[in-house]
Amino acid sequence: MFRAGKLAVAVTALLALAGGFVGVSAAVASQPQAAVTGETYVIGTDTTFAPFEYREDGELTGIDMDLIRDIAANQGFTVEIKSLGFDAALQALQSNQVDGVIAGMSITDERELIFDFSDPYFDSGVQMAVAEDNTEITQYSDLAGETVVAKRGSEGETFANSIKDEYGFTVKALADSATMYDDVKAGNSVAVFDDYPVLAYGINQNNGLKSVTEKEQGSSYGFAVNKGQNPELLAAFNTGLAELKSNGEYQTILDTYLEQPAPAVASGFFGLLSDSMPALMKGLGLTLLATGLSILIALVLGVLFGFFTVSASRVLRGIASVYVSIFRGTPLLVQAFFFYFGLPQLTGQSIDVLTAGVLTLSLNAGAYMTEIVRGGIQSVDPGQTEAGRSLGLGYVTTMRRVVLPQAVKIMTPSFINQFVMTLKDTSLLAVIGFAELTYQGQQIYAANFRTGETLLIVAALYFIVINLLTMLSNKLDKRFNK
Amino acid sequence: MSKISVQGLRKSFGSNAVLKGLDVEIAEGEVVCVIGPSGSGKSTFLRCLNKLDELSAGTVIVDGFNLNDKTVDLNEVRQHIGMVFQHFNLFPHMTVLQNIMLAPTELKKQSKADARATALKLLERVGLSDKADARPAQLSGGQKQRVAIARSLAVNPDIMLFDEATSALDPEMVGEVLQVIRDLAAEGMTMVVVTHEMGFAREVADRVIFMADGVIVEEGTPAELFGNPQQERTQDFLSKVL
């Protein structure tokens, strides 16, 4: 498979050119694998790429996972797996947030410019599948005039594009396997082009599709480290892989996932509900934690910068205005990527995902809070300030006793609104691998392909929590802002 | 010595000159009414006396404090000068009693108990003893303005400024507010009253100032100014309002 992230490649190449120092360490010679003994390495991986990596009962499993763990055991080192998502894992590797990446990643020329790859550990290939009840499409020539779907930037997409003119169909790109299969089942596309092991696994999980063609010759998957980094880890991987191949363990792993897939038991909706609840509750806990921390910090930032906006000092007003325009003027998603991937590259200081997430959300919400505070203070009649000042009360006392009590009352509904927005915005942190509610939902349907039902449960959880919190907030508002 | 001394006072908002050089001396215990068409600068003049508006040029000395002196504590000066606004500006989130007690307690002039006793006395004086625990929203305009006067008096000022204190009131409520101001005048309070109530000015004022276009056009005793105005602009204005 070939999920490109061409932009990431280009950016990295530019960075490497700009600061030659990035590549200097590439000269370090390969160390004997004994160097890895007793070491712990952080390995990044995808979130949703069954059968290579996926979650079963909350535990990461799959071919890649078994392979890296067995190799680690074989070579005497320890791994700490970080399930980040494919693009995120590659970015984490480039910023040295992780030591290596195993994520069903094809070895390509472009990637070899920025990463060092192990020996290939799996030969993949593209295959076409259609809906189970579809009897009309059995070969490429039946696709004339139809739309097919493939994963964005993947080998499947490249292959589909290479034959679309010959057979006269249109290619649509989506982001992950589960969504593509749903697209085919829903009839939006007639067929899907995907990596055969992924497709085979999904079909065995009753994803409602069947494969109708033989697999095309494809590329090979490799384990990657950052260019010039961790050569001993790469060497240990190669040695371990060779040993697993010769002692048969390698074949056992493949058979586990490809030849004899775990029999899929299609439990009912309530079965899904009770199976998914532990993971979802864990996610909900993190969602609430991130929301709570972010809102508290945002409140402090909002009050601070809000006072700046109404201050007499031009400098303070300028600072507040720059802050607000930066964080209101850029997408939250870009901010999240920046704090998690960009900042470590700039500072050399790695940052954990909760910190990055809370940093993003609190700075973003703080900008909106600033505007709420400014609006609240400015909406209090200036006559109130004049009355306070004419009584001989100072600026601070007038603010504290006269203006703010009235402003807070005006601001409260907007505060509650922002609170709800921030809670929902936590779902965006799934893209940097923060294991909140939406992320947990994605993990579940990536493994069981029951996208609709799972998302319904996730949405219901958000709905219940948000409405409970809104009711509570309104009650408090009524009680304290009579 | 004058209680209020104003020399060459100028005030501009941007390029708009509102006060174009005022000279006024007001003695202790004197009641001065300021009349004139709207836009003449009456209110701005009043607001310069406690520096709610910054002075553009000129000197203002109030109760011995030179307002041009940067070292003068403005909050201290303002405790000597009560101000009553056209729109009352009561604090809506506080009861009547809390409105009156706020400044004395925040300024540490009185203990809470003393401030409360003073506030109740002031409410009695303006005839609103029964409204101590009411919220401003529950009061009529006239009642609100009487509470506002009581609030200003709570810091025990030497001077009172009234900025069109009855202009926002329904006609039937003007009388009750004017009565309170009249009582204050009788007690010897130094007062500057910007007003449209010519009858009141004639009755209460020791001196009447007529302003137009940012200058003092004419001043004198009520008998002089209302009975025998010298300037054409004064005659013109009075003929329209009387």
Side-chain angles (χ1 to χ4, degrees):
Chain A
M1 67 169 260
F2 173 73
R3 281 182 277 172
K6 277 194 179 141
L7 187 63
V9 174
V11 168
T12 313
L14 272 176
L15 282 176
L17 279 174
F21 59 87
V22 174
V24 168
S25 51
V28 178
S30 189
Q31 298 293 311
Q33 42 273 43
V36 301
T37 313
E39 295 286 329
T40 297
Y41 292 97
V42 181
I43 306 296
T45 188
D46 199 351
T47 52
T48 61
F49 194 55
F52 290 90
E53 39 267 335
Y54 62 100
R55 274 175 205 272
E56 207 168 77
D57 304 326
E59 287 299 307
L60 267 174
T61 184
I63 296 173
D64 284 347
M65 298 301 101
D66 285 6
L67 207 54
I68 189 77
R69 284 176 184 137
D70 286 2
I71 289 174
N74 183 284
Q75 293 292 304
F77 63 94
T78 328
V79 288
E80 185 194 324
I81 309 277
K82 281 199 169 174
S83 169
L84 299 172
F86 188 78
D87 288 338
L90 295 195
Q91 289 171 52
L93 184 57
Q94 284 170 255
S95 51
N96 293 317
Q97 297 255 55
V98 298
D99 300 307
V101 163
I102 184 160
M105 171 162 51
S106 303
I107 302 168
T108 66
D109 293 345
E110 272 169 318
R111 288 192 182 130
E112 279 185 307
L113 289 177
I114 50 172
F115 301 130
D116 288 332
F117 278 97
S118 68
D119 298 333
Y121 66 85
F122 188 85
D123 292 321
S124 186
V126 173
Q127 201 173 16
M128 179 173 88
V130 297
E132 227 162 19
D133 52 6
N134 186 330
T135 51
E136 287 156 25
I137 312 261
T138 55
Q139 51 195 356
Y140 299 148
S141 56
D142 297 330
L143 292 173
E146 304 284 3
T147 299
V148 306
V149 64
K151 201 178 301 180
R152 190 171 302 130
S154 73
E155 209 178 343
E157 187 188 17
T158 311
F159 175 74
N161 277 321
S162 72
I163 61 164
K164 69 175 178 190
D165 291 334
E166 187 183 340
Y167 295 105
F169 58 88
T170 314
V171 181
K172 169 165 104 178
L174 284 177
D176 68 84
S177 293
T179 331
M180 291 196 303
Y181 303 160
D182 285 336
D183 200 55
V184 173
K185 276 190 287 180
N188 299 330
S189 310
V190 295
V192 53
F193 285 81
D194 205 358
D195 292 17
Y196 95 87
V198 180
L199 211 47
Y201 175 82
I203 289 167
N204 278 317
Q205 292 290 309
N206 299 322
N207 70 354
L209 301 187
K210 61 178 180 190
S211 56
V212 287
T213 56
E214 290 300 306
K215 81 160 174 161
E216 301 291 335
Q217 193 57 41
S219 62
S220 306
Y221 293 173
F223 166 76
V225 293
N226 209 357
K227 196 92 186 159
Q229 304 279 320
N230 297 311
E232 75 289 350
L233 175 61
L234 201 59
F237 184 93
N238 286 336
T239 316
L241 179 64
E243 286 193 16
L244 258 52
K245 276 185 172 165
S246 67
N247 71 14
E249 265 187 68
Y250 172 81
Q251 195 54 47
T252 315
I253 293 173
L254 290 197
D255 290 349
T256 310
Y257 293 98
L258 296 178
E259 297 302 321
Q260 298 136 19
V265 188
S267 56
F269 178 77
F270 290 101
L272 175 67
L273 192 64
S274 69
D275 286 350
S276 58
M277 222 18 97
L280 292 181
M281 280 300 142
K282 226 169 85 187
L284 185 60
L286 282 173
T287 292
L288 292 176
L289 176 69
T291 309
L293 287 174
S294 303
I295 279 290
L296 277 181
I297 299 170
L299 202 60
V300 173
L301 291 173
V303 169
L304 181 71
F305 287 106
F307 274 115
F308 282 12
T309 60
V310 294
S311 95
S313 155
R314 188 178 276 211
V315 176
L316 292 184
R317 284 202 311 269
I319 292 172
S321 137
V322 167
Y323 166 64
V324 170
S325 33
I326 288 176
F327 284 94
R328 231 173 35 164
T330 53
L332 186 59
L333 209 53
V334 173
Q335 293 166 13
F337 281 131
F338 178 79
F339 283 116
Y340 191 54
F341 302 119
L343 209 56
Q345 282 189 347
L346 296 178
T347 62
Q349 192 78 37
S350 74
I351 183 170
D352 73 85
V353 68
L354 176 66
T355 310
V358 168
L359 200 61
T360 309
L361 285 179
S362 53
L363 284 168
N364 186 275
Y368 288 94
M369 290 281 202
T370 300
E371 285 300 287
I372 293 170
V373 171
R374 182 185 63 78
I377 290 174
Q378 287 180 347
S379 65
V380 174
D381 177 8
Q384 293 288 311
T385 308
E386 289 181 355
R389 300 308 303 273
S390 75
L391 285 168
L393 300 175
Y395 174 80
V396 175
T397 310
T398 306
M399 267 291 164
R400 186 170 58 83
R401 295 298 310 272
V402 177
V403 177
L404 283 185
Q406 300 180 56
V408 165
K409 192 171 168 178
I410 298 167
M411 292 177 222
T412 305
S414 307
F415 275 141
I416 295 173
N417 198 34
Q418 184 59 46
F419 177 55
V420 170
M421 302 271 280
T422 300
L423 198 157
K424 288 190 287 190
D425 283 347
T426 54
S427 64
L428 289 170
L429 300 181
V431 297
I432 57 170
F434 180 59
E436 46 66 66
L437 183 52
T438 303
Y439 174 95
Q440 298 288 359
Q442 288 173 339
Q443 294 284 315
I444 290 166
Y445 69 69
N448 69 11
F449 298 99
R450 295 167 71 175
T451 315
E453 289 163 287
T454 309
L455 285 177
L456 215 58
I457 296 171
V458 167
L461 282 175
Y462 276 115
F463 180 84
I464 291 167
V465 167
I466 285 171
N467 280 284
L468 282 178
L469 286 173
T470 310
M471 268 157 60
L472 181 70
S473 309
N474 287 335
K475 214 164 212 169
L476 291 176
D477 180 22
K478 277 209 187 98
R479 177 126 172 230
F480 292 108
N481 287 330
K482 283 178 289 198
Chain B
M1 192 192 129
S2 297
K3 199 75 173 164
I4 300 173
S5 172
V6 178
Q7 280 157 12
L9 172 61
R10 289 175 181 277
K11 172 67 186 174
S12 306
F13 293 100
S15 61
N16 180 25
V18 177
L19 300 180
K20 302 168 184 168
L22 302 188
D23 299 292
V24 183
E25 300 291 328
I26 297 172
E28 179 153 11
E30 197 178 6
V31 177
V32 174
C33 285
V34 183
I35 61 170
S38 47
S40 57
K42 309 184 298 285
S43 288
T44 307
F45 165 58
L46 209 62
R47 293 162 62 86
C48 285
L49 297 183
N50 68 352
K51 236 180 164 187
L52 273 187
D53 283 339
E54 290 286 330
L55 321 177
S56 299
T59 315
V60 175
I61 299 170
V62 180
D63 221 3
F65 295 101
N66 185 342
L67 298 191
N68 296 72
D69 185 348
K70 298 278 182 209
T71 63
V72 164
D73 179 2
L74 217 48
N75 294 332
E76 164 73 21
V77 178
R78 284 171 177 159
Q79 290 165 38
H80 293 257
I81 314 169
M83 187 166 197
V84 176
F85 301 87
Q86 180 178 358
H87 295 289
F88 331 127
N89 298 351
L90 290 182
F91 307 134
H93 56 299
M94 300 180 185
T95 64
V96 164
L97 207 58
Q98 288 168 336
N99 262 276
I100 301 173
M101 288 167 62
L102 178 70
T105 50
E106 280 294 333
L107 296 168
K108 308 260 188 288
K109 291 202 138 186
Q110 287 182 320
S111 70
K112 232 173 180 159
D114 289 348
R116 191 182 162 82
T118 311
L120 287 170
K121 241 179 247 162
L122 286 167
L123 277 179
E124 195 184 332
R125 186 161 151 193
V126 299
L128 291 170
S129 295
D130 56 329
K131 298 292 183 189
D133 295 319
R135 295 251 169 188
Q138 299 165 314
L139 303 180
S140 73
Q143 290 170 333
K144 281 182 196 168
Q145 197 58 298
R146 285 188 278 158
V147 171
I149 294 171
R151 182 177 67 178
S152 299
L153 292 173
V155 286
N156 209 9
D158 302 324
I159 300 166
M160 286 289 286
L161 309 177
F162 290 87
D163 189 4
E164 302 193 17
T166 57
S167 296
L169 297 178
D170 290 336
E172 74 271 22
M173 292 174 183
V174 170
E176 61 191 66
V177 173
L178 290 183
Q179 187 53 49
V180 173
I181 303 176
R182 201 176 280 125
D183 292 347
L184 277 175
E187 287 165 25
M189 176 73 76
T190 309
M191 299 200 287
V192 184
V193 182
V194 170
T195 186
H196 290 297
E197 301 290 335
M198 297 305 149
F200 177 76
R202 191 194 289 247
E203 173 204 335
V204 175
D206 295 315
R207 181 153 48 115
V208 179
I209 292 175
F210 173 69
M211 281 182 68
D213 287 332
V215 296
I216 294 174
V217 177
E218 187 171 355
E219 59 180 306
T221 64
E224 287 167 0
L225 199 108
F226 290 112
N228 185 19
Q230 301 298 305
Q231 301 291 327
E232 198 181 324
R233 297 212 51 181
T234 318
Q235 293 161 1
D236 187 43
F237 174 73
L238 289 174
S239 72
K240 280 177 188 152
V241 297
L242 287 178

